[in-house]
């Protein structure tokens, strides 16, 4: 039998000698979740918009599981009202006409006087007497939760609707109560409700003016003194789990949910901001008027700012205009596209190539075109989001193997014995900078008759002789069935591509929805990529210069005690805590270095890191300087936040 606990949290602070309530919450949870809920509720208490508490009370209490009452959530409907007058009129009408309470108008008028208490008023619907024993505090309903959250784990956000439907359902089933009226005393929350077993939970979208602190709650009672004791005992003592609580349906709530999600991310150090670049791409960036060493760009070879590529773009716009005018299968195939596909095939040593509008689109389009419900996809646990999304769209069964662990891939293959499917991996992993064990991956895919696919987004132009990628790096005569790459990182332009057999590319031209149902890239974008390939052919030493720079940076970090390694131009600097990563990135920016704090959900929680991307156009001196400052700031931050204070 599952063991349940009731958890209650209250946070307050003292203002002018008076305790001021900040936030409160209660939940019913399973025993194994107590720790997680303690953390979530504390997080909510400590990061509340109303301010920082100086007192937080967290109480856990075991419940007798056999005594928990399970009640079906009241059905929900929403009535739109444009003004408080309209909303209150609707509430009155329901009370009078649907619930048959003749004093409806006078009861609704009492509502504003029944607020700003910890609890609710109990009003005798016939005599209008207020029956709650403590009229300053009201009657507080407690020991209730929705079953989902008791089963599923914590959310630390307050959700007005969720809490209200749970409370409303419990109240609707309380003995001798006919129902309930409620207006929130949250000044920003103008939606309130009227609820009973007969009419369900009826939301009214406007019951007060925005900004008004007026709110209140009335329980509608009919009975004698003994009945009242029974009602109160039920409200205060009976544990209730509400089953089948629906999501909030009203238009005002759909925005509130987004707001709450962002606030939660903010509190957890997970909210992102856009960084506006004020100059063309290069080893030094300009942000908010300041020059910063650029360590977060995919412009590995510096080609995005190369004059030859810019010239190619200008020329192509002159010849072709600005847009491709249609999808590839209609009017959107210009000579530039065809020429680029041939040159990419040559670059990778394959029969053919096919263009996509981005690397993301390429992954999603290719995987979903090649695989379906009958396939099984074997995917590295650290594969890029676009591979994951491709697998989802394919609706195939996905087997995730441990990161770059070919032993684990083999075990999975042996166990699952797939008839059809795909083995897919990043070539260079975007958050760790390490490289796939391609020879073993290919051997296993062949042995099991599966397609093999690698995503060379961070490998093209970076690894292998002349930047030709992973297969060339390992000196393989035959590469993967599907080699995917991007034009927008080392190649300095925009777009994605796939190289492989002619059969593969023909199939994709006929089946890949991300190829068929979109306007193709501008001819100028194709011309830019062709220029990049020309530069790479003429200067095969560019990737070597990049590799030498990476080595300088990594060795300097290591000399300062930072354990890091890479097989590409991506250098991960482990940090762990999300907030520390954000703090450090901000600090480094102050000191003139731009790099990114990589956090959940891009990497696992607790594995936040700084991620530096090195460019061939950095100078070794810049890189030594940066590595030294990074090491210094990491050290200072640990001293400030991990060591007990000496004072
Ligand atoms: N038991 C009894 N009364 C309570 C309780 C409780 N557990 N919690 C709050 N109250 C009283 C309190 O004294 C306030 O004056 C009044 O209810 C309103 O409380 O579908 O947020 O917490 O989106 O401001 C309605 C959601 C939200 C409508 C209601 O109430 C919807 C809300 P608040
Ligand atoms: Mg409230």
């Amino acid at each position: 039998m599952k063991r349940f606990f009731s958890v209650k949290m209250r946070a307050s602070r003292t203002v002018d000698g008076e305790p001021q309530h900040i936030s409160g919450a209660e939940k019913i949870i399973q025993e194994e979740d107590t720790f997680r809920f303690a953390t979530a509720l504390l997080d909510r208490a400590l990061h509340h918009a109303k301010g920082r508490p100086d007192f937080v009370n967290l109480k856990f209490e075991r419940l007798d599981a056999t005594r928990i009452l399970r009640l079906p959530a009241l059905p929900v409907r929403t009535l739109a009202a444009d003004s408080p007058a309209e909303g209150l009129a609707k509430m009155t009408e329901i009370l009078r006409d649907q619930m048959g309470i003749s004093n409806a108008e006078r009861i609704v008028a009492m509502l504003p006087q029944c607020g700003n208490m910890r609890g609710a008023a109990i009003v005798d619907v016939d005599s209008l007497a207020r029956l709650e024993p403590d009229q300053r505090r009201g009657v507080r309903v407690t020991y209730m939760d929705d079953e989902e959250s008791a089963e599923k784990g914590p959310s630390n956000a307050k959700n007005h609707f969720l809490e209200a439907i749970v409370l409303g359902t419990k109240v609707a089933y309380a003995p001798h109560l006919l129902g309930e009226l409620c207006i929130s005393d949250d000044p920003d929350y103008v939606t309130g409700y009227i609820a009973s077993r007969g009419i369900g939970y009826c939301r009214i979208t406007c019951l007060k003016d925005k900004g008004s602190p007026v709110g209140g709650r009335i329980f509608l009672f009919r009975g004698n003194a003994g009945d009242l004791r029974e009602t109160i005992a039920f409200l205060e003592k009976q544990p209730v789990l509400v089953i089948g609580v629906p999501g909030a349906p009203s238009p005002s709530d759909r925005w509130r949910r987004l707001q709450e999600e962002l606030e939660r991310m903010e509190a957890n150090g997970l909210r992102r901001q856009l960084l506006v670049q004020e100059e063309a791409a290069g080893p030094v960036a300009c942000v908010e008027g300041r020059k910063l060493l650029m360590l977060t760009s995919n412009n590995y070879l510096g080609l995005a700012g190369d004059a030859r590529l810019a010239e190619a773009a200008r020329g192509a716009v002159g010849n072709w205009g600005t847009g491709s005018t249609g999808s590839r299968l209609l009017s959107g195939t210009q000579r530039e596209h065809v020429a680029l596909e041939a040159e990419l095939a040559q670059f990778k040593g394959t029969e053919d190539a096919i263009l996509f509008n981005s690397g993301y689109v390429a992954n999603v389009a290719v995987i979903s075109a090649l695989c379906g419900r009958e396939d099984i996809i074997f995917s590295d646990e650290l594969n890029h989001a676009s591979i994951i999304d491709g697998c989802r769209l394919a609706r195939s069964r996905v087997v995730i193997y441990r990161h770059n662990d070919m032993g684990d891939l083999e075990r999975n293959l042996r166990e699952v014995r797939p008839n059809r499917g795909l083995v897919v991996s990043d070539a260079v992993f975007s958050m760790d900078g390490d490289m796939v064990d391609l020879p073993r991956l290919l051997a296993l895919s062949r042995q099991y008759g599966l397609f093999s696919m690698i995503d060379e987004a961070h490998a093209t132009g970076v690894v292998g002789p002349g930047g030709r990628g992973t297969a060339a790096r390992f000196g393989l005569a035959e590469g993967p069935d599907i080699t995917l790459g991007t034009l927008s990182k080392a190649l300095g332009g925009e777009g994605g591509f796939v190289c492989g057999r002619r059969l593969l590319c023909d199939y994709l031209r006929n089946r890949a929805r991300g190829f068929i149902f979109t306007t193709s890239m501008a001819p100028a974008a194709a011309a830019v990529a062709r220029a990049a390939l020309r530069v790479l052919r003429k200067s095969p030493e560019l990737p070597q210069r990049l590799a030498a720079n990476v080595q300088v940076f990594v060795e300097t970090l290591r000399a300062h005690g930072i354990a890091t390694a890479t097989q590409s131009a991506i250098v991960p600097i482990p940090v762990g805590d999300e907030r520390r990563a954000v703090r450090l990135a901000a600090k480094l920016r102050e000191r003139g270095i731009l790099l990114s704090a990589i956090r959940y959900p891009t990497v696992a929680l607790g594995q936040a890191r700084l991620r530096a991307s090195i460019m061939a156009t950095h100078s070794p001196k810049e890189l030594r300087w940066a590595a030294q400052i990074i090491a210094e700031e990491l050290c200072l931050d640990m001293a400030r936040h991990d060591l007990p204070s000496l004072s």
Side-chain angles (χ1 to χ4, degrees), residues 343-531:
E343 287 165 26
L344 283 166
Q346 197 180 30
F347 179 62
K348 292 283 185 187
T350 55
E351 280 177 11
D352 200 358
I354 169 174
L355 293 173
F356 292 89
N357 287 12
S358 74
Y360 178 93
V361 172
N363 266 323
V364 171
V366 171
I367 297 174
S368 60
L370 284 179
C371 297
R373 287 184 199 276
E374 324 80 87
D375 293 271
I376 302 179
I377 301 176
F378 296 80
S379 175
D380 187 291
E381 65 180 334
L382 295 189
N383 274 345
H384 189 257
S386 53
I387 295 179
I388 296 168
D389 291 359
C391 295
R392 287 184 185 153
L393 193 58
R395 301 173 194 217
S396 308
R397 176 176 163 204
V398 180
V399 176
I400 297 180
Y401 61 88
R402 283 210 294 271
H403 175 50
N404 211 8
D405 183 338
M406 294 301 131
D408 191 47
L409 172 58
E410 185 167 19
R411 265 189 300 284
N412 277 301
L413 287 165
R414 215 173 326 143
E415 211 167 276
V416 175
R417 300 237 148 250
N419 288 322
R420 255 180 62 169
L422 170 72
V423 180
V424 58
S425 175
D426 275 3
V428 162
F429 289 87
S430 56
M431 296 302 137
D432 295 73
D434 55 336
M435 200 189 307
V436 64
D437 181 351
L438 187 60
R440 287 195 64 200
L441 184 141
L442 293 186
L444 285 169
S445 317
R446 283 187 197 122
Q447 184 186 335
Y448 283 85
L450 305 177
F451 284 123
S452 54
M453 168 168 170
I454 60 168
D455 174 356
E456 297 217 296
H458 297 276
T460 300
V462 175
V463 305
R468 288 205 315 280
T470 326
R473 153 72 176 69
F474 284 101
L476 301 175
E478 201 188 334
D481 296 329
I482 300 127
T483 300
L484 186 143
T486 170
L487 305 172
S488 38
K489 294 184 164 63
L491 297 183
E494 178 167 318
F497 64 89
V498 161
C499 290
R501 295 183 183 207
R502 178 145 306 128
L503 172 64
L504 171 77
C505 296
D506 279 344
Y507 178 84
L508 292 174
R509 287 187 187 102
N510 286 281
R511 273 281 178 260
R513 296 170 66 84
F515 177 85
I516 299 169
F517 296 104
T518 185
T519 298
S520 62
M521 66 171 68
V528 165
R530 294 181 65 199

Side-chain angles (χ1 to χ4, degrees), residues 116-117 119-120 139-141 160-161 184-185 189 201 203 217:
N116 285 307
M117 309 188 290
V139 176
R140 198 161 166 84
V141 191
H160 286 82
F161 166 73
S184 174
D185 44 32
Y189 206 82
Y201 180 93
R203 317 176 74 209
R217 207 165 219 139

Side-chain angles (χ1 to χ4, degrees), residues 26 114-120 137 139-142 144 158 160-161 163-164 167 182-186 189 191-193 201 203 215-217 219 248 253:
E26 70 155 289
C114 301
N116 285 307
M117 309 188 290
R118 294 277 302 140
R137 188 177 169 276
V139 176
R140 198 161 166 84
V141 191
T142 174
M144 63 199 162
K158 180 177 174 70
H160 286 82
F161 166 73
E163 291 183 11
L167 188 144
C182 175
I183 301 177
S184 174
D185 44 32
D186 177 342
Y189 206 82
T191 300
Y193 66 92
Y201 180 93
R203 317 176 74 209
R217 207 165 219 139
F219 299 157
D253 267 0

Side-chain angles (χ1 to χ4, degrees), residues 560-622:
H560 286 85
I562 295 181
T564 186
T566 184
Q567 294 173 289
S568 63
I570 296 164
V571 183
I573 300 157
V575 170
D577 179 64
E578 285 74 30
R579 289 185 188 82
R580 163 169 293 157
V582 175
R583 227 166 30 227
L584 273 170
K587 189 77 202 169
L588 287 166
R589 202 167 131 189
E590 276 170 36
R591 299 200 62 184
I593 299 171
L594 190 59
L595 45 56
S596 25
I598 305 289
R599 288 159 279 164
Y600 177 82
T602 309
V603 295
L605 261 183
Q607 290 190 23
R609 65 200 61 180
L610 298 175
R611 173 178 178 271
S613 309
I614 309 302
M615 298 167 57
T617 44
H618 284 129
S619 77
K621 193 171 148 215
E622 285 168 334

Side-chain angles (χ1 to χ4, degrees), residues 327-348:
S327 92
R328 286 293 301 277
L329 298 186
L330 299 174
S331 62
T333 296
Q334 279 84 18
R335 287 221 176 103
E336 291 288 350
H337 298 108
V338 180
L340 175 57
E341 285 175 338
E343 287 165 26
L344 283 166
Q346 197 180 30
F347 179 62
K348 292 283 185 187

